[in-house]
Amino acid sequence: MVFSSLIFLLFFFPALFLCYFCLPKRLRWLRNCVLLAFSLLFYRCGGAGYFPLLLASIGANYLGGLLAASKRPAVRKLGLWGAVTVGLGLLGWFKYAGFAAGNLNRLGLSVPVPEIVLPVGISFFTFQGLSYVIDVYRGEARCQRNPLYVALYVALFPQLVAGPIVRYTTVEREITQREETLHAFSQGVVRFLFGLGKKMLLANAMGEVADGIFGQPAGDMAMSLAWLGALAYTLQIYFDFSAYSDMAIGLGRMFGFHFLENFNYPYISRSVTEFWRRWHISLSSWFRDYVYIPLGGSRCSRGRNLFNLTVVWLLTGLWHGASWNFVLWGGWFLVLLAGERYLWGGALKRAPAAVGWLYAMLAAVLGWVLFRSPGLRYALGYFRAMFGLGGPADGQAVYYLLEYWPEWIVCLIAMLPWKLWIQQRLERRRDALSAVVLDWGPKLLALGLLWLSYGKLVSGSFNPFIYFQF
């Protein structure tokens, strides 16, 4: 089940809304039980065969948190490393066992390759659960002794299968003391509908272009078509993933939770370093706080810092998928980030803003080709086509531009922070008209997006979420 589906919009959400809000606020524990039950149902609808895996992860993190809160150092370490072993062990088996076995076979070893279906959302709920146990071990979060509340934290349906990765400290108080208001619910609905519009009207259209182009042999592709496909996927993955984050944040707001932002207009960045401060913020901060800083961060020698960066970015690549192109994708950004830190970062800061933006966008686009390609051989052929070593021009690029020209224009506009610019300007005016526009403008626009999105939902079939595969 996905947020941008009729079964969610017409059945699941209305049923949850009625069951949840028919209960009085004073029965917070019962509202939490309803939310947990619907969250577990949400996951079971999308991954019934792996539902016990989610329950096992919840149990391991609950027990790990109890032990990690002990006053005895040995017991605390047992809780921490027990949860880490179970969490990463399950993730390693389901996500990387086939990849490891395949590579061992290429080295000449005869190893059976297990055929394993990746459980939906395992990378997200594993990291989220581990952050809770680690924070309890560090003394940065209180141990939650109610297993139902730990289950609600790990399995809360808005961010269960595709993030953002929510820290326990972010929602610790809100699990038992949150306040649902009509104003917050209205804000959540608007945010959800903006995300739905981004998904249905922009991400899906760019996905059709990207799939059409990346589905062709790379060696026969014209230079213009290759660049158009790379740009289409660059836009698709942003609007797809940020749309899911918007919908998750909006749904959380409706039920009294405040999740942190996961995207902050990454395509206006002027360096790769800035790009990763704006892109998938919850994952970047997770690796920073639980891997990079514990290894020593940047407060160490240059050699040690390069080692720390290497570990983080190879793990980041592998987190996204068990394939060498994901490893190289992580390595690509490792080289650029290390280069900005130690080689050309100073010159980049002094360069005109347009130069920095072009550099960051080129780095992102080339990285997304690695990310999207089904394998290294295809990626190499695609890069050759991008730099003029593919086939002759055949008019396909013109077709994709003309067929989807409204979506191209809106995507290029929507990736810029127009909302913030307009909001700041209206707030500076401080007159009655500006107040009305600020209050009702987003709501009316959200209703328009709902109408257009519903039309796409009932007439189309292309509706995947990219990050469901991670």
Side-chain angles (χ1 to χ4, degrees), residues 148-359:
L148 294 181
Y149 291 163
V150 174
L152 180 61
Y153 162 67
V154 175
L156 191 60
F157 82 93
Q159 36 60 235
L160 173 59
V161 296
I165 302 170
V166 178
R167 305 288 182 87
Y168 181 69
T169 51
T170 302
V171 296
E172 178 180 8
R173 187 192 64 81
E174 292 177 338
I175 289 177
T176 56
Q177 302 176 38
R178 65 186 179 277
E179 181 72 17
E180 302 95 336
T181 65
L182 182 60
H183 177 68
F185 190 90
S186 173
Q187 288 183 323
V189 170
V190 170
R191 184 68 180 267
F192 179 88
L193 293 179
F194 269 87
L196 181 65
K198 287 165 69 173
K199 169 62 178 170
M200 298 306 304
L201 305 176
L202 301 180
N204 285 358
M206 291 298 101
E208 291 174 358
V209 176
D211 285 359
I213 296 175
F214 275 89
Q216 302 181 33
D220 302 332
M221 200 175 295
M223 180 178 178
S224 57
L225 186 64
W227 276 101
L228 195 71
L231 291 173
Y233 186 71
T234 297
L235 294 170
Q236 180 199 2
I237 194 169
Y238 168 62
F239 286 110
D240 185 277
F241 194 18
S242 67
Y244 193 94
S245 294
D246 285 340
M247 287 188 274
I249 291 170
L251 286 166
R253 188 69 57 83
M254 295 181 209
F255 296 98
F257 292 94
H258 293 76
F259 304 151
L260 300 181
E261 295 294 333
N262 206 24
F263 288 86
N264 183 21
Y265 299 101
Y267 290 156
I268 66 170
S269 302
R270 300 176 185 178
S271 69
V272 173
T273 302
E274 182 184 358
F275 174 82
W276 278 104
R277 292 195 188 108
R278 294 175 175 272
W279 178 277
H280 203 344
I281 299 169
S282 63
L283 181 67
S284 301
S285 61
W286 198 98
F287 275 112
R288 179 197 65 206
D289 294 342
Y290 299 117
V291 180
Y292 183 65
I293 292 177
L295 285 173
S298 58
R299 296 184 177 182
C300 53
S301 66
R302 178 177 297 188
R304 178 67 189 190
N305 180 239
L306 290 173
F307 171 80
N308 298 342
L309 287 171
T310 300
V311 171
V312 166
W313 282 98
L314 292 184
L315 289 177
T316 301
L318 280 172
W319 182 89
H320 283 87
S323 174
W324 284 110
N325 57 309
F326 288 114
V327 175
L328 285 182
W329 175 79
W332 166 247
F333 284 109
L334 163 66
V335 171
L336 293 173
L337 290 165
E340 288 182 13
R341 179 180 290 273
Y342 292 113
L343 296 175
W344 58 81
L348 189 62
K349 291 179 180 178
R350 295 189 296 270
V355 173
W357 178 80
L358 286 171
Y359 155 80

Side-chain angles (χ1 to χ4, degrees), residues 25-37:
K25 288 185 178 181
R26 66 177 182 276
L27 297 179
R28 170 66 56 209
W29 65 274
L30 194 52
R31 281 190 170 187
N32 280 338
C33 287
V34 168
L35 197 53
L36 174 60

Side-chain angles (χ1 to χ4, degrees), residues 3-71:
F3 299 155
S4 55
S5 67
L6 291 176
I7 190 171
F8 178 86
L9 295 172
L10 299 182
F11 299 100
F12 182 90
F13 182 76
L16 171 59
F17 177 86
L18 291 174
C19 293
Y20 185 91
F21 286 104
C22 281
L23 297 170
K25 288 185 178 181
R26 66 177 182 276
L27 297 179
R28 170 66 56 209
W29 65 274
L30 194 52
R31 281 190 170 187
N32 280 338
C33 287
V34 168
L35 197 53
L36 174 60
F38 273 85
S39 295
L40 295 176
L41 175 63
F42 180 86
Y43 188 80
R44 198 177 188 285
C45 289
Y50 293 103
F51 183 68
L53 180 65
L54 174 62
L55 298 181
S57 179
I58 292 170
N61 289 308
Y62 172 69
L63 181 59
L66 290 178
L67 297 176
S70 172
K71 295 181 179 180

Side-chain angles (χ1 to χ4, degrees), residues 75 353 467:
V75 176
Y467 265 71

